[in-house]
């Protein structure tokens, strides 16, 4: 599938060139240098942390493990890539460029790292990257915020190439999710489920877009639970897995929750799955994402009321902040080269777009545009520390604590899909991927 998508790459570069010309012009530059970055080693050691290139570099090139490269972009000219390929026998150097992407740039092979001063050619240049002064930045404008904002806004409108990469990442992740589900129901430990996931995705853990969240029972109440228990619990109530995949650096970010019961928790899970799809239906061009986030709170409060967990009206539960005990994170975020992708909190002029009062973790406050890709990920959790605070507050009477005791051993629920926004509709890339298996 992704090999066919390579035919979309030339058009992607043409789009980037047109976007860059406008952005450079608006900011008074005529040249941009993007540095891919350098590996980081542990203190007093030669151990390398997994390397992630500068995402601005990957937004031009499908090079996900290439350090010490410079991309030189000059108005009206073919991009020049200083391609770092050291003569090394300790580590395998990057392979030779492949024509499907390399034809879009002029390649200058590099055997040794190059300083910024050796690349820059204009007095009106800017550099984007984590570049230190000792690399000869001099007077060149480094990471100017106005230019970065414009390029970030461009990255919110996905090209056909980017859509194909994220759809392919969803396909890989869906295969791996099914393998993880099967491992869970076969009795595997969190650690062994993680192994099954990586094996099915054909990706190492460090090639995932984020640390997979593999949570059995109460562990699902920790939002970014990072442990991977080696022993399998004998009591198995529920399983939450939030895990993705990458394709040329583009991420999938998917969560599924499974239940071993057919009681209250199963009803809650079915309700969450249904409300997630209702919220997804509203993710179309022109919708303010803040409205979808508040819809999630209202729908979850209504579901908890219907099941008898809450004793107050959904309106009161949202207005008084009670729903935030059960949903203490944002509804979702932009998705792309970064799992929590850029420009979610600014408008098209680069001005801050505030979060609704009391919702400080929301990562997306924009009015949606066609071409945006984002997650919709409502959740409901039974988190001891937040429940204790609610119980002690004046709103403690709004909750049926016997039912909370029933639900605590299940940890929580999250349902997360990746959505491509269109005019008057959208594509659910995640459910499409599962349906194709
Ligand atoms: N996996 C992190 C998130 O869903 O945002
Ligand atoms: Mn997410
Ligand atoms: Mn996630």
């Amino acid at each position: 599938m992704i090999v066919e998508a390579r035919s979309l790459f030339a058009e992607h570069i043409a789009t980037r060139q047109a976007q860059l010309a406008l952005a450079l012009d608006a900011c008074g530059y005529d040249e941009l240098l993007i540095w891919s970055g350098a590996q980081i080693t542990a203190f007093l050691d030669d151990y390398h942390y997994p390397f992630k290139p500068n995402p601005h570099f990957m937004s031009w090139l499908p090079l996900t493990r290439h350090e010490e490269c410079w991309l030189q972009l000059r108005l009206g000219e073919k991009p020049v890539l200083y391609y770092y390929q050291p003569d090394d026998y300790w580590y395998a150097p990057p392979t030779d460029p492949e024509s499907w992407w390399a034809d879009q740039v002029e390649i200058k092979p590099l055997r040794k790292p190059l300083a910024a001063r050796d690349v820059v050619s204009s007095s009106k240049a800017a550099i984007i990257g984590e570049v230190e002064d000792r690399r000869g930045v001099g007077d060149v404008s480094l990471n100017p915020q106005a230019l970065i904002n414009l390029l970030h806004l461009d990255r919110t409108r996905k090209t056909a190439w980017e859509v194909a990469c994220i759809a392919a990442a969803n396909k890989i992740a869906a295969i791996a999710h099914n393998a993880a589900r099967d491992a869970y129901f076969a009795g595997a430990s969190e650690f062994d489920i993680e192994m099954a996931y990586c094996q099915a995705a054909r990706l190492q853990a460090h090639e995932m877009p984020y640390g997979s969240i593999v949570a059995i029972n109460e562990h699902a109440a920790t939002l970014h639970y990072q442990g991977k228990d080696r022993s399998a619990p004998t009591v198995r109530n529920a399983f939450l897995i939030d895990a993705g995949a990458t394709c040329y650096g583009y991420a999938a970010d998917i969560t599924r929750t499974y239940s071993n019961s057919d009681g209250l928790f199963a009803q809650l899970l079915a309700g969450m799955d249904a409300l997630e799809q209702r919220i997804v239906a509203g993710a179309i061009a022109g919708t303010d994402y803040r409205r979808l986030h508040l819809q999630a709170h209202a729908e979850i409060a209504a579901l908890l009321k219907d099941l008898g967990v809450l004793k107050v009206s959904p309106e009161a539960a949202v207005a008084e902040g009670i729903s935030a005990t059960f949903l203490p994170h944002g509804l979702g975020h932009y998705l792309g080269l970064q799992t929590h992708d850029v420009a979610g909190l600014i408008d098209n002029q680069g001005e801050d777009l505030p979060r609704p009062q009391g919702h400080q973790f929301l990562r997306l406050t924009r009015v949606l545009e066609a071409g945006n890709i984002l997650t919709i990920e409502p959740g409901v959790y039974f988190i001891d520390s937040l429940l204790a605070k609610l119980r002690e507050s004046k709103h403690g009477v709004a909750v049926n604590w016997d039912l909370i005791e029933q639900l605590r051993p299940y940890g929580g629920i999250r349902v997360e899909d990746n959505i491509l926004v269109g005019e008057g509709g959208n594509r659910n890339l995640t459910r499409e991927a599962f349906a194709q298996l």
Side-chain angles (χ1 to χ4, degrees):
M1 176 191 177
I2 198 58
V3 173
E4 291 152 33
R6 289 175 179 176
S7 63
L8 302 168
F9 190 72
E11 187 191 318
H12 171 74
I13 293 299
T15 303
R16 283 282 179 267
Q17 289 274 49
Q19 291 167 330
L20 183 74
L22 292 175
L24 288 181
D25 193 50
C27 298
Y29 302 111
D30 61 10
E31 177 177 11
L32 174 62
L33 306 178
I34 302 178
W35 191 53
S36 68
Q39 288 205 332
I40 301 171
T41 49
F43 185 51
L44 301 179
D45 203 337
D46 61 358
Y47 169 85
H48 297 287
Y49 293 109
F51 175 64
K52 270 192 178 238
N54 173 357
H56 284 272
F57 180 77
M58 289 194 289
S59 90
W60 283 82
L61 291 162
L63 305 179
T64 56
R65 58 183 65 131
H66 295 65
E67 60 168 341
E68 296 287 1
C69 294
W70 287 95
L71 180 64
Q72 182 175 39
L73 301 159
R74 285 176 291 203
L75 283 178
E77 293 183 25
K78 193 169 185 176
V80 176
L81 173 63
Y82 291 83
Y83 190 72
Y84 184 61
Q85 241 183 341
D87 194 4
D88 191 2
Y89 54 82
W90 290 98
Y91 296 97
T95 51
D96 288 341
E98 294 173 60
S99 66
W100 68 270
W101 62 265
D103 287 353
Q104 305 307 316
V105 293
E106 183 192 334
I107 306 260
K108 295 194 176 177
L110 269 189
R111 298 285 173 239
K112 294 206 161 37
L114 211 53
R117 75 171 82 79
D118 299 324
V119 187
V120 69
S121 71
S122 162
S123 58
K124 291 198 293 176
I127 298 175
I128 293 182
E130 219 175 354
V131 189
E132 296 159 0
D133 269 353
R134 65 184 169 82
R135 285 178 178 268
V137 173
D139 295 336
V140 184
S141 181
L142 181 62
N143 297 323
Q145 195 60 50
L147 179 62
I148 284 183
N149 279 351
L150 289 177
L151 300 180
H152 281 179
L153 287 163
D154 291 337
R155 281 171 52 192
T156 68
R157 300 159 194 133
K158 278 11 186 209
T159 64
W161 155 255
E162 293 179 294
V163 172
C165 288
I166 296 174
N170 268 266
K171 190 90 184 278
I172 297 165
I175 292 167
H177 266 266
N178 281 354
R181 175 203 59 199
D182 293 347
Y184 170 72
F185 283 112
S189 67
E190 291 169 348
F191 178 85
D192 287 318
I193 296 169
E194 161 88 346
M195 295 295 112
Y197 189 93
C198 289
Q199 167 90 24
R202 314 297 296 157
L203 291 169
Q204 300 180 74
H206 74 260
E207 293 171 312
M208 296 295 175
Y210 54 91
S212 299
I213 298 161
V214 181
I216 296 178
N217 300 344
E218 293 92 338
H219 290 163
T222 300
L223 299 180
H224 284 171
Y225 172 73
Q226 75 281 33
K228 307 276 184 311
D229 268 7
R230 267 60 170 176
S231 58
T234 44
V235 175
R236 298 168 88 81
N237 301 315
F239 172 49
L240 182 155
I241 175 163
D242 181 345
T246 49
C247 175
Y248 295 121
Y250 288 89
D253 176 9
I254 300 174
T255 310
R256 289 291 180 265
T257 308
Y258 305 97
S259 165
N260 299 70
S261 97
D262 54 7
L264 180 62
F265 184 80
Q267 285 175 272
L268 189 55
L269 179 53
M272 289 297 292
D273 192 62
L275 76 81
E276 189 258 4
Q277 292 182 71
R278 286 196 293 277
I279 298 166
V280 165
I284 59 175
T287 299
D288 188 327
Y289 193 83
R290 290 172 287 201
R291 198 176 66 63
L292 297 180
H293 173 82
L294 294 174
Q295 181 190 344
H297 274 265
E299 293 225 21
I300 288 169
L303 177 60
L304 291 171
K305 176 85 190 331
D306 283 350
L307 295 176
V309 177
L310 286 183
K311 300 180 192 168
V312 290
S313 71
E315 295 74 20
V318 177
E320 299 295 332
I322 299 168
S323 59
T325 295
F326 300 94
L327 172 55
H329 61 69
L331 176 65
H333 47 85
Y334 276 151
L335 180 70
L337 287 165
Q338 291 161 247
T339 304
H340 298 148
D341 213 18
V342 289
L345 299 168
I346 54 172
D347 67 15
N348 285 341
Q349 284 66 51
E351 301 295 328
D352 291 344
L353 285 167
R355 301 175 172 99
Q357 187 83 28
H359 297 265
Q360 76 265 34
F361 296 117
L362 185 57
R363 297 175 193 268
L364 179 49
T365 52
R366 283 173 61 82
V367 173
L368 303 183
E369 297 177 7
N372 291 168
I373 296 186
L374 49 83
T375 70
I376 298 285
E377 48 180 303
V380 62
Y381 311 89
F382 305 99
I383 302 169
D384 285 344
S385 60
L386 298 184
L387 290 169
K389 280 193 199 119
L390 181 61
R391 192 165 194 167
E392 284 161 19
S393 78
K394 65 178 184 194
H395 300 302
V397 292
V399 176
N400 180 330
W401 293 103
D402 290 339
L403 293 187
I404 295 288
E405 274 313 298
Q406 272 187 43
L407 291 165
R408 274 182 59 244
Y410 293 83
I413 296 168
R414 183 160 61 254
V415 181
E416 177 175 26
D417 289 340
N418 304 166
I419 310 301
L420 168 62
V421 175
E423 301 286 351
N426 61 45
R427 271 180 65 195
N428 187 328
L429 302 176
T430 305
R431 293 199 188 230
E432 271 181 28
F434 277 109
Q436 285 165 17
L437 297 184

